[in-house]
Amino acid sequence: MRKNRRPHELVASAPPDRVVAALVDQLADAVGGQAAYCVPATDRPEQLDVVASSADSVHCGGDSFREPVRGGGVLLFSGAKRWGEKELKALRDTAGWLAVTADVDRMRADRERAEERCRSLRSEVTAARERLAHVRDLERRRLVRAITTSTLRDLDELRRRLRGFGEQLAEGGETARIAELGSAVDDMLDTFRTVVRGVYPAMLPDKGPRAALEELAATLPHPVRFSGDLGRRVGWQIESGFYHAVAAVLNLLAGEGINRDDPAVEVEFGRDEELRARLRTSVGDLSAGDLRAALHQDAERIAVLGGAMECAVSGGAAAVSVRLADRTTSATTSQGEGSALFQRVTDLVRQGQEAAGAGPARARWDAIAARLVQPPRLAVVADADGPDSAEVDSASLLGVTVVFAEGPADQQLAAELLADDGPRGSVDAVLCRVPPTSEFRAALRRAPQRVELSEVASVDQTARRLITWAPVIAARRAIVSARALLPGLPADHPLRWSVDRIAAESHEITELDLLDELLGGETRLLRGVAEEAARLLGAEGADPRSRLGLEPEANDEQVRVAAQRAANRWRAHAVRPITGGRDASVCDVLVRTAEGLLSS
């Protein structure tokens, strides 16, 4: 290598992986001593690690002369035999080019992460397009079936009667036969009008979904009572999607196909950040699964718009809830609007993006923001066959992305599932249908972002638990990712304090971690009452009535009384003489949960 070359000549000619070492060697030759380039240690920012040095004896300490390098590094040398303006210029030039080299490395890493994120987003877009195509196909088949049933079958019947009329003209029964044909034509036209009205309700564009649903209810055989209000009008696509979802439920519950004691249907509308409808009636012997099966296609259509349809049956009484955000949004975002933790973390990430500006850390903050609003991800580890399409469709209806990973469930697979990048990475829960190794379990448990591992639940059960806790899981993941970016901020930057404060004050994360322990078989906790504790923490649903074991129809006063009883019950359990220290701390968490339900 030719000596005394200028740093830019060296950077232009040296291999990329040798640029830093070549610059350091060149500086050592220029000053006739030893040189080294050091950067702050990843886990110990107050200490320095050697990146490259001209001799093994050079280290980042002692009495070496130091020259700061932009970006946090330092260039040092010792034992210089020559020192003057020329050597000082060489030192500063070398420090400048080392900073440029570090910038290039960071940009290259950011580009690789951006490319991986692009591939991940492209795969999600492809999956969303497939779902939309599936929904369009479902709608096409529904319309074809309805219209052909109203035309081809009924027209065939009309044709048969006309032929019979022609054969009987000579028998003198013309008048009665014509009247019969006229009634058949009227019935066919009424049926066809009903079909068309279901496809394009005439009152929907002018007066909104409630008026259109009242018009529909007037044609149904059972009485329907409406209450509540949907507030101001929203976009046509939102109102149309909401109308069709509620109309499907109304046609089912107020139609002729259900045998029950009280045929009346109550429809209660509501509005906050979503359009809401709750339909209640008696359904006899039907179960919630029967209702979900009958409304499967309609639930899938509204899920594509970011809404949801939920069915519950208790004591022969059904309650079907339909909700749709007043703007198209992801499932995590729409649910997170009701979570104070999710909102605080969203604001925190936005501050991180603003603090990063156009610097090298901006891409990482953008990735955190993008992951924050993505649907939760469930990995199913199974044999070569994988989960069937019905299970995947059911989870997709809830707003959960299902990824398949073929066994064995070992440490290597765990690392792939836990990685932030990759088509099967960044998962929030794992359903294992093959025996997992102890290393697999330990890797999921030790991960900064705790990942639930289930070996006995179904895809539907795991997906429902995921969607219930989606805002908390997304917020916790964002906090973990944000902490990894804190070393690049100044020591007194307010974001450092904000991240620690949110993590320390978040009771929702404490609840989720404790619930993971109880559901994961932590038998040493709360022996004999662990199931009751898990229910209060949200194992059967995060809403107050599910947490307190109440019926869906329980009023606010019943919720208040049950929450007070739960707080007193766990406060008394904590001070029992036989309650250990760990159980007592768990009881404190449960008391705070019950008091939170009481105050809300």
Side-chain angles (χ1 to χ4, degrees), residues 584-598:
S585 64
V586 171
C587 288
D588 290 341
V589 174
L590 296 171
V591 169
R592 182 175 175 184
T593 296
E595 289 177 342
L597 298 176
L598 185 64

Side-chain angles (χ1 to χ4, degrees), residues 38 48 62 83 144 183 205 221 229 240 245 287 297 327 342 382 397-398 418-419 439 443 466 495 556 562 582:
C38 304
L48 298 174
W83 188 251
V144 169
S183 299
D229 186 21
S240 178
S287 65
Q297 294 184 8
R327 60 190 182 279
F342 186 89
L397 285 176
L398 297 172
L418 293 172
E439 292 81 4
L466 264 182
L495 276 179
D556 291 344
R582 173 65 171 140

Side-chain angles (χ1 to χ4, degrees), residues 205-258:
D206 296 332
K207 297 187 178 181
R210 172 162 181 165
L213 289 167
E214 290 175 344
E215 180 191 32
L216 172 64
T219 67
L220 298 175
H222 296 308
V224 180
R225 294 189 289 269
F226 292 91
S227 63
D229 186 21
L230 290 173
R232 58 180 174 79
R233 299 288 301 275
V234 294
W236 159 253
Q237 291 179 329
I238 301 299
E239 287 189 342
S240 178
F242 182 77
Y243 166 82
H244 284 293
V246 178
V249 182
L250 203 56
N251 278 314
L252 176 65
L253 298 182
E256 295 284 4
I258 300 178

Side-chain angles (χ1 to χ4, degrees), residues 186-225:
D186 290 340
D187 291 341
M188 185 190 71
L189 292 176
D190 288 340
T191 303
F192 190 74
R193 289 192 186 100
T194 301
V195 172
V196 174
R197 194 160 46 237
V199 175
Y200 185 81
M203 297 185 68
L204 182 58
D206 296 332
K207 297 187 178 181
R210 172 162 181 165
L213 289 167
E214 290 175 344
E215 180 191 32
L216 172 64
T219 67
L220 298 175
H222 296 308
V224 180
R225 294 189 289 269

Side-chain angles (χ1 to χ4, degrees), residues 223-227 262 264-268 278-281:
V224 180
R225 294 189 289 269
F226 292 91
S227 63
D262 182 7
V265 178
E266 296 182 0
V267 182
E268 180 182 359
R278 185 176 178 86
L279 296 89
R280 293 189 293 266
T281 188

Side-chain angles (χ1 to χ4, degrees), residues 420-445:
D420 289 335
D421 300 326
R424 297 192 296 189
S426 190
V427 301
D428 300 301
V430 176
L431 176 58
C432 211
R433 290 180 170 171
V434 297
T437 64
S438 58
E439 292 81 4
F440 184 83
R441 291 193 181 95
L444 296 185
R445 179 59 63 184

Side-chain angles (χ1 to χ4, degrees), residues 212-537:
L213 289 167
E214 290 175 344
E215 180 191 32
L216 172 64
T219 67
L220 298 175
H222 296 308
V224 180
R225 294 189 289 269
F226 292 91
S227 63
D229 186 21
L230 290 173
R232 58 180 174 79
R233 299 288 301 275
V234 294
W236 159 253
Q237 291 179 329
I238 301 299
E239 287 189 342
S240 178
F242 182 77
Y243 166 82
H244 284 293
V246 178
V249 182
L250 203 56
N251 278 314
L252 176 65
L253 298 182
E256 295 284 4
I258 300 178
N259 298 319
R260 63 274 184 94
D261 299 330
D262 182 7
V265 178
E266 296 182 0
V267 182
E268 180 182 359
F269 293 114
R271 172 71 176 275
D272 38 34
E273 294 297 323
E274 297 177 319
L275 302 178
R276 298 178 181 271
R278 185 176 178 86
L279 296 89
R280 293 189 293 266
T281 188
S282 60
V283 289
D285 296 332
L286 292 182
S287 65
D290 296 330
L291 294 180
R292 282 192 289 269
L295 298 169
H296 171 76
Q297 294 184 8
D298 304 284
E300 186 163 357
R301 281 197 297 272
I302 198 171
V304 170
L305 293 175
M309 181 184 294
E310 300 171 351
C311 304
V313 175
S314 177
V320 181
S321 299
V322 178
R323 57 181 177 80
L324 181 60
D326 58 9
R327 60 190 182 279
T328 54
T329 182
S330 69
T332 303
T333 304
S334 61
Q335 293 193 26
E337 290 174 351
S339 169
L341 171 64
F342 186 89
Q343 294 301 322
R344 292 180 67 189
V345 173
T346 300
D347 293 339
L348 173 74
V349 173
R350 190 178 298 113
Q351 294 171 23
Q353 290 174 304
E354 294 173 355
R362 179 57 187 258
R364 299 183 183 181
W365 283 106
D366 289 345
I368 296 175
R371 183 65 179 90
L372 187 63
V373 297
Q374 288 178 3
R377 293 169 63 84
L378 169 63
V380 179
V381 183
D383 53 22
D385 294 336
D388 59 49
S389 58
E391 291 179 315
V392 176
D393 289 344
S394 176
S396 298
L397 285 176
L398 297 172
V400 175
T401 301
V402 179
V403 297
F404 170 64
E406 188 175 352
D410 53 15
Q411 190 171 6
Q412 180 179 356
L413 179 60
E416 183 179 355
L417 298 177
L418 293 172
D420 289 335
D421 300 326
R424 297 192 296 189
S426 190
V427 301
D428 300 301
V430 176
L431 176 58
C432 211
R433 290 180 170 171
V434 297
T437 64
S438 58
E439 292 81 4
F440 184 83
R441 291 193 181 95
L444 296 185
R445 179 59 63 184
R446 289 196 304 263
Q449 166 61 41
R450 294 183 62 169
V451 175
E452 177 189 352
L453 172 63
S454 177
E455 301 176 49
V456 296
S458 65
V459 172
D460 183 73
Q461 291 172 328
T462 309
R464 289 183 182 280
R465 189 154 58 244
L466 264 182
I467 208 65
T468 298
W469 288 97
V472 182
I473 293 173
R476 183 173 62 182
R477 179 179 291 280
I479 291 175
V480 171
S481 300
R483 274 182 168 160
L485 300 180
L486 295 183
L489 298 174
D492 58 346
H493 199 285
L495 276 179
R496 290 177 176 268
W497 177 77
S498 297
V499 171
D500 291 337
R501 180 182 178 184
I502 291 176
E505 295 180 354
S506 173
H507 181 65
E508 293 169 279
I509 293 179
T510 303
E511 285 184 325
L512 182 57
D513 290 343
L514 181 55
L515 182 61
D516 284 345
E517 291 187 39
L518 293 174
L519 296 179
E522 183 60 64
T523 56
R524 293 174 297 175
L525 288 178
L526 300 177
R527 291 190 178 124
V529 291
E531 184 176 350
E532 182 181 352
R535 185 188 65 199
L536 181 61
L537 291 171

